[in-house]
Amino acid sequence: MKKNKKNIPKKIILYGGTSQAKVVKPIIDLYGSKIIAVFDDTKNLKSPFINIPIYYGYDSLLKWSNKRNINNIGFLITIGNPHGKKRIKLHKKLCELGFVSFTIIHPSAIIDKSAKIEDGCQIMAGSVIMVDVKISKETIVNTNSNIDHECIIEEGCEVAPGATLCGKVKLRKYSWICAGATILPRITIGQNSIVGAGAVVTKNVEMNKTVVGIPAKIQK
């Protein structure tokens, strides 16, 4: 996956105005692009950035976009999990409006040239993505996380800081691997499931489950 700054629009909006927005801004700045507006569904939320306006709700985005030529404006959905499904819905809506979808990659990330990463992903500093990995749209790969060979990550997932996915791991839609967790090789994490911080997963996890501990067990 080439980190080509030509793929980064010069003007960008963010949907989501909390911590994830703060994490992506330095990467956007590194590529010489500019955040021009932030949108969030939480009324009265303060803008995360000085001199960048925040607007509230999807209707405000519609009004804002109606007054502008948005064909050259990119978007990132800076809402973390467990809201992966919401990221996917917003991704589709913003693409239909005409905003530009793209993936942001920190220059310090190590990504094998055989890896395939779809649009809308956020690849943070120090992350490692190895040979033949496939990452679907609107996935967040956080700081210093490791995704080893031939892993398959479906849409709307999040891999938190310091988490490790060993070879041939599969993450189904909207799953969330929390900080410092380890998934052993050939394990599948079911749709909408959560792996708790520091957990070590030694067997498959069914959908809609939360597992914690070493070895990871279902949290009742």
Side-chain angles (χ1 to χ4, degrees):
M1 179 73 182
K2 294 181 179 180
K3 291 170 276 188
N4 186 348
K5 64 183 181 180
K6 292 182 179 179
N7 295 331
I8 310 281
K10 289 299 182 182
K11 296 180 180 179
I12 296 168
I13 65 165
L14 304 181
Y15 205 108
T18 54
S19 297
Q20 194 66 28
K22 293 180 179 181
V23 173
V24 301
K25 186 177 185 298
I27 309 175
I28 292 169
D29 292 343
L30 282 171
Y31 284 108
S33 297
K34 181 180 180 181
I35 299 169
I36 58 174
V38 178
F39 298 85
D40 198 285
D41 292 334
T42 304
K43 291 184 178 180
N44 301 319
L45 180 70
K46 185 179 179 181
S47 175
F49 313 116
I50 298 173
N51 299 327
I52 299 177
I54 188 168
Y55 303 88
Y56 304 106
Y58 186 74
D59 287 344
S60 69
L61 174 66
L62 293 176
K63 293 177 182 177
W64 186 91
S65 60
N66 285 337
K67 299 177 182 178
R68 292 165 176 84
N69 177 12
I70 62 172
N71 293 328
N72 62 348
I73 298 176
F75 74 89
L76 288 173
I77 302 172
T78 44
I79 304 171
N81 279 39
H83 303 295
K85 192 171 185 178
K86 183 173 184 177
R87 287 202 302 277
I88 294 299
K89 289 181 177 179
L90 283 169
H91 183 103
K92 182 178 179 180
K93 286 183 177 180
L94 269 64
C95 286
E96 289 174 347
L97 285 175
F99 287 100
V100 179
S101 176
F102 69 100
T103 283
I104 192 84
I105 300 174
H106 193 281
S108 68
I110 299 173
I111 303 175
D112 188 84
K113 63 182 181 180
S114 66
K116 296 180 180 179
I117 303 174
E118 293 186 357
D119 279 350
C121 293
Q122 299 164 42
I123 313 298
M124 302 305 175
S127 55
V128 178
I129 299 171
M130 294 307 293
V131 61
D132 290 336
V133 168
K134 296 179 181 179
I135 300 179
S136 296
K137 63 184 177 182
E138 288 299 336
T139 287
I140 298 172
V141 179
N142 272 304
T143 307
N144 290 330
S145 56
N146 294 279
I147 302 175
D148 218 317
H149 62 91
E150 301 167 277
C151 289
I152 297 174
I153 301 178
E154 295 184 356
E155 63 184 26
C157 292
E158 180 170 355
V159 181
T164 297
L165 277 58
C166 298
K168 296 188 176 181
V169 168
K170 294 181 180 179
L171 303 187
R172 300 303 188 193
K173 293 179 181 180
Y174 324 128
S175 57
W176 181 16
I177 312 304
C178 295
T182 300
I183 317 297
L184 295 189
R186 302 176 187 274
I187 297 295
T188 296
I189 307 299
Q191 183 171 318
N192 293 318
S193 288
I194 299 172
V195 176
V200 176
V201 182
T202 60
K203 59 183 180 180
N204 293 343
V205 176
E206 296 178 358
M207 65 184 301
N208 299 316
K209 302 294 184 183
T210 297
V211 297
V212 297
I214 303 173
K217 296 181 180 179
I218 296 173
Q219 186 177 51
K220 296 183 180 179

